[in-house]
């Protein structure tokens, strides 16, 4: 009677080689999926599957209906990352609102100022330059054929108008130099002028850009101090070249 055969032992180097081969195949598969994720039309339901919770799938996000593969930023957009709330959805509004919960994670920009809308469009440009374009999300910004909707055209028009107003404001403000400024926790803030005297002046262009009027510190010559709308800093002498703020 023949003696029973001993079970074949797999050598450690063979096991290591097999494990390396499996890991290499898994990596190649993930690379293939990302490489061949050609731009296409997405539904909200489809996009939601690419939120970084499924191993082997790319991480996608939408902004103004444009979809991007942000897998290379997995540490940021994957589970536990600071930007994970953007993954698997179009949360355009949250890029400027900072509201990452509930109704804040929406693609609607209703009620945002011209400057805020421009900021969202600038974010889209950022993703266009840094990440892989993966297609368009059917819904608010693109129709079922992938054509821009009136809503998207309105957003882009508003952003363009904001850029023009901002440039115009910069040109106007460049005619009157801004104050120098510094701040420290120990001493507080200070503004001063090398030439002229510091005054607070309203920025009327902000109404169209942000919906509010803000002020800036500008340096005016002595003969210009009688102009209407100039405000002397509190507790600052009329002809002082520096003021505590």
């Amino acid at each position: 009677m023949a003696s029973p055969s001993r079970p074949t032992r797999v050598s450690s180097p063979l096991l290591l080689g097999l494990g390396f081969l499996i890991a290499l195949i898994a990596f190649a598969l993930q690379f293939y999926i990302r490489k061949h994720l050609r731009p296409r039309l997405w539904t909200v339901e489809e996009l939601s599957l690419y939120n970084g919770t499924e191993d082997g799938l790319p991480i996608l996000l939408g902004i103004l209906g444009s979809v991007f593969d942000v897998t290379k930023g997995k540490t940021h957009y994957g589970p536990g990352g600071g930007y994970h709330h953007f993954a698997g959805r179009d949360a355009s509004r949250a890029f400027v609102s900072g509201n990452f919960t509930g109704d804040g994670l929406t693609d609607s920009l209703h009620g945002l100022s011209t400057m805020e809308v421009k900021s969202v469009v600038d974010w889209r440009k950022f993703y266009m330059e840094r990440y892989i374009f993966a297609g368009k999300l059917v819904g608010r910004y693109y129709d079922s054929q992938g054509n821009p909707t009136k809503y998207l055209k309105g957003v882009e028009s508003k952003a363009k108008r904001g850029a023009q107003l901002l440039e115009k404001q910069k040109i106007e403000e460049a005619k009157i130099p801004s104050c120098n400024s510094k701040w420290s926790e120990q001493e507080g803030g200070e503004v001063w002028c090398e030439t002229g005297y510091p005054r607070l002046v309203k920025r009327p262009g902000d109404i169209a850009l942000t919906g509010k009027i803000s002020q800036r510190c500008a340096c005016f010559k002595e003969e210009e101090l009688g102009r209407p709308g100039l405000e002397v800093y509190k507790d600052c002498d009329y002809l002082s070249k520096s003021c505590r703020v």
Side-chain angles (χ1 to χ4, degrees), residues 212-232:
K212 301 176 182 177
I213 291 184
S214 64
Q215 293 177 302
R216 74 178 182 109
C217 180
C219 298
F220 291 87
K221 298 176 182 177
E222 186 172 356
E223 59 269 24
E224 298 174 321
L225 297 181
R227 290 173 52 171
L230 302 188
E231 181 181 339
V232 180

Side-chain angles (χ1 to χ4, degrees), residues 19-243:
F20 176 77
L21 180 61
I22 292 173
L24 184 62
I25 291 173
F27 175 80
L29 181 60
Q30 290 183 33
F31 177 81
Y32 178 86
I33 291 175
R34 293 201 298 271
K35 183 79 173 177
H36 292 77
L37 191 66
R38 295 182 178 180
R40 47 162 285 197
L41 295 179
W42 298 85
T43 65
V44 172
E45 293 73 22
E46 289 171 333
L47 184 61
S48 67
L49 300 176
Y50 293 79
N51 63 358
T53 59
E54 189 70 32
D55 290 338
L57 290 181
I59 303 175
L60 305 180
L61 66 74
I63 178 169
L64 297 178
S66 291
V67 179
F68 298 95
D69 182 342
V70 295
T71 309
K72 71 177 183 179
K74 187 175 182 179
T75 54
H76 302 295
Y77 296 98
Y83 304 127
H84 178 58
H85 36 255
F86 289 117
R89 56 161 60 97
D90 186 331
S92 296
R93 189 184 193 88
F95 280 92
V96 293
S97 71
N99 182 358
F100 305 126
T101 60
D103 294 339
L105 294 172
T106 177
D107 62 352
S108 173
L109 305 187
H110 179 72
L112 294 185
S113 69
T114 301
M115 203 62 202
E116 288 171 325
V117 171
K118 179 183 177 300
S119 293
V120 178
V121 172
D122 287 344
W123 271 112
R124 183 184 62 178
K125 180 182 178 183
F126 167 83
Y127 283 98
M128 280 287 190
E129 294 173 346
R130 303 288 183 87
Y131 293 94
I132 300 171
F133 176 68
K136 302 171 183 177
L137 181 63
V138 176
R140 188 183 300 274
Y141 298 103
Y142 292 98
D143 63 22
S144 59
Q145 302 301 313
N147 298 312
T149 63
K150 290 182 179 180
Y151 196 91
L152 178 58
K153 292 177 182 178
V155 164
E156 292 177 336
S157 177
K158 190 172 184 178
K160 183 178 180 180
R161 186 167 64 252
Q164 292 170 341
L165 290 171
L166 190 61
E167 184 61 27
K168 181 180 179 181
Q169 179 171 280
K170 287 180 178 179
I171 293 172
E172 289 299 317
E173 291 186 354
K175 296 176 182 178
I176 304 174
S178 296
C179 305
N180 299 299
S181 64
K182 66 178 181 179
W183 183 91
S184 68
E185 190 173 349
Q186 295 77 20
E187 299 180 0
E190 181 183 5
V191 294
W192 72 94
C193 296
E194 299 292 343
T195 302
Y197 305 91
R199 291 293 186 271
L200 281 169
V201 58
K202 292 180 179 179
R203 310 174 80 182
D206 280 2
I207 281 290
L209 289 169
T210 66
K212 301 176 182 177
I213 291 184
S214 64
Q215 293 177 302
R216 74 178 182 109
C217 180
C219 298
F220 291 87
K221 298 176 182 177
E222 186 172 356
E223 59 269 24
E224 298 174 321
L225 297 181
R227 290 173 52 171
L230 302 188
E231 181 181 339
V232 180
Y233 277 91
K234 184 179 179 181
D235 299 326
C236 190
D237 293 336
Y238 187 79
L239 292 179
S240 176
K241 285 187 170 291
S242 66
C243 300

